[in-house]
Amino acid sequence: MIQQLFHLSYDDFRFPPNHYALLEPDGLLAVGGCLQVERLKQAYANGIFPWFNEGEPIMWWSPSERGILELNDFHCGKTLRKAQRKLNPTITVNTAFDKVIEACRNQRMAAEGTWITNAMLNAYQQAHIQGIAHSVEVWHEENLVGGLYGIMQSGVFCGESMFHTIPNASKMAMWALVNWMTAHNAHFIDCQLENPYLTSLGLKVVPRTEFLTRLKLADQFEIPTSMWQPQELKAIYE
C-alpha cells in the first residue's frame, strides 16, 4: 500500500482514505486545513484526530493501531473503589466544559508541555457549543478535582484528555463515563494511543481496519437527547 502525506485546503473538509497514512511517523495522514467544527465532525467520523504542538502546522492522524476501551473491560481495582468511597465525589456532565479543558491544558503545560494549543482550546470549546464535545466532571466539596473531555457523535466516545488534582480523580471520571455509556448501550471509548495509565484501566490495541469497521457500525447508535444535557449523575458508581 502506498503511503502519502496530504495537504488539506482551508475550505474543503474532506479527508483522504486512512490507508494512505504514513508508517513513519505512524499514522500521519494530512497536514493543514483548519479546526472548524465541521472539519472536526468529518475527522472523528472517519477515525482521524488532530494532534500537534504550538508553532507546528495542524497535523491529522490515523494510527495503524488504535487504543480502545471496551466498556465491559474497564478495570476498577480495590484502590480505586476505596478512593471513590472515601471521597464520595459528585459527578456531573457538561456543567464545566471550559474548566475541564483548561485544567487538562494547565496540568500538561506544567509537566511536559501541551498539545492543547490556543487553537485547539478554541476549537473544542466551539465543538462543545455545537453539541459534539462533552465533559465529565468530578467534584469534591464544590471544587473541581478531576475530569475528562472528548467528542461523541455516534456510539463511540473519542477521549481527548483528562486531569486530576487529587489522586484517582481522573480514573473516577473515566469510571463514571464507562457506566454512563453502558447505561445508554453505547459502544466503546476511543483512547487513540496506548499508554500505561490507560492500559491499567483496561485499554487494548486493535488494528486500524478493525477500529474503522467498528466505528462505522457505531454510526447506527442514536445519542439520546438527555444523555449530554448538563446534569448530575446520581448513583453512577452503583
Side-chain angles (χ1 to χ4, degrees):
M1 186 65 66
I2 297 174
Q3 280 70 52
Q4 182 177 344
L5 182 62
F6 290 79
H7 292 262
L8 304 181
S9 69
Y10 188 83
D11 54 2
D12 185 343
F13 298 154
R14 292 175 298 175
F15 285 90
N18 302 59
H19 61 251
Y20 284 111
L22 302 182
L23 297 177
E24 182 59 41
D26 180 44
L28 182 59
L29 177 65
V31 297
C34 66
L35 292 170
Q36 293 184 47
V37 175
E38 188 56 40
R39 190 186 297 274
L40 290 178
K41 289 180 179 179
Q42 290 294 323
Y44 284 93
N46 289 283
I48 300 163
F49 59 88
W51 186 32
F52 59 99
N53 294 315
E54 197 76 62
E56 295 178 340
I58 301 172
M59 290 184 275
W60 302 90
W61 302 79
S62 179
S64 61
E65 294 187 325
R66 197 72 164 225
I68 70 169
L69 180 60
E70 307 279 12
L71 303 182
N72 290 335
D73 287 349
F74 179 75
H75 176 67
C76 182
K78 293 181 180 179
T79 300
L80 179 55
R81 291 183 184 277
K82 182 178 179 180
Q84 183 272 322
R85 288 194 297 267
K86 182 178 180 180
L87 188 67
N88 191 25
T90 297
I91 307 298
T92 59
V93 295
N94 281 346
T95 67
F97 183 89
D98 288 353
K99 290 183 178 179
V100 169
I101 191 171
E102 288 167 3
C104 290
R105 171 180 172 154
N106 293 338
Q107 181 166 294
R108 278 147 189 79
M109 189 79 76
E112 71 276 350
T114 182
W115 48 265
I116 306 176
T117 64
N118 289 333
M120 290 282 274
L121 186 75
N122 293 333
Y124 286 84
Q125 287 173 333
Q126 286 300 313
H128 174 64
I129 291 171
Q130 294 194 32
I132 66 166
H134 309 290
S135 59
V136 177
E137 302 102 19
V138 181
W139 305 85
H140 178 59
E141 296 179 351
E142 300 185 356
N143 294 313
L144 183 64
V145 297
L148 58 81
Y149 76 95
I151 298 286
M152 186 172 180
Q153 52 186 350
S154 68
V156 177
F157 186 95
C158 303
E160 280 297 314
S161 190
M162 51 176 39
F163 85 97
H164 65 275
T165 62
I166 62 175
N168 294 299
S170 58
K171 291 182 179 180
M172 292 179 204
M174 182 66 87
W175 184 10
L177 174 63
V178 167
N179 289 351
W180 193 232
M181 291 184 67
T182 300
H184 289 85
N185 297 312
H187 290 230
F188 62 92
I189 298 171
D190 169 24
C191 300
Q192 298 179 352
L193 302 173
E194 182 182 21
N195 66 50
Y197 183 82
L198 292 172
T199 299
S200 73
L201 296 179
L203 173 144
K204 70 177 183 181
V205 173
V206 298
R208 178 168 54 217
T209 52
E210 178 181 338
F211 171 77
L212 293 176
T213 298
R214 295 188 58 186
L215 185 66
K216 187 65 176 178
L217 289 173
D219 284 342
Q220 301 171 16
F221 180 82
E222 294 186 10
I223 302 174
T225 304
S226 60
M227 185 174 183
W228 292 111
Q229 290 178 348
Q231 60 193 291
E232 179 181 346
L233 304 187
K234 300 284 190 178
I236 190 62
Y237 297 118
E238 295 180 2

